[in-house]
Amino acid sequence: MLRRQPTLVALADDRPAKAPDREWQALAACRVTSAVHFFPPNHHEHKPEKDRREAAARAVCRACPVRTDCLRYAICTPEPHGIWGGLNELERRRLQRRRRSA
């Protein structure tokens, strides 16, 4: 049974920012995908290139049964790079600010 993915508002709840377990990683859709889409390259990346790379990663995330766990892990860790749970670094920082202000 697939879990319903919560909205960003639901993820910005008032639960303590405690790092979740990592058992979810075994079920992650990205395990069978190249990490090249999820993390920026070592060289300068132009915006159109970044947008295409992130769109490919987000497509994998949209179909992932553990997207919520992944995003929660990246927020609680905090993970400074890459697409986690369908959000990039900037989007996760915005979500964290919303969480703190709520």
Side-chain angles (χ1 to χ4, degrees):
M1 180 166 118
L2 293 177
R3 289 187 256 175
R4 189 172 157 246
Q5 297 298 326
T7 63
L8 291 180
V9 174
L11 288 172
D13 59 18
D14 60 355
R15 278 184 262 177
K18 176 183 110 176
D21 64 57
R22 297 174 85 176
E23 293 175 16
W24 58 268
Q25 290 178 338
L27 302 172
C30 61
R31 288 184 60 85
V32 295
T33 306
S34 172
V36 72
H37 300 298
F38 293 89
F39 298 97
N42 291 333
H43 60 11
H44 175 72
E45 182 178 43
H46 294 285
K47 178 137 175 52
E49 182 183 356
K50 177 183 179 187
D51 291 344
R52 282 191 299 273
R53 177 183 56 77
E54 287 188 351
R58 291 175 203 276
V60 173
C61 293
R62 274 192 299 277
C64 185
V66 293
R67 179 180 179 192
T68 304
D69 297 312
C70 178
L71 180 56
R72 191 164 282 127
Y73 173 82
I75 289 171
C76 293
T77 303
E79 186 60 50
H81 303 289
I83 300 288
W84 290 79
L87 299 183
N88 65 23
E89 304 90 344
L90 179 61
E91 294 162 334
R92 290 194 305 274
R93 283 195 300 266
R94 285 180 186 152
L95 182 60
Q96 285 178 294
R97 279 195 299 270
R98 275 189 251 159
R99 251 181 114 166
R100 283 191 291 258
S101 67

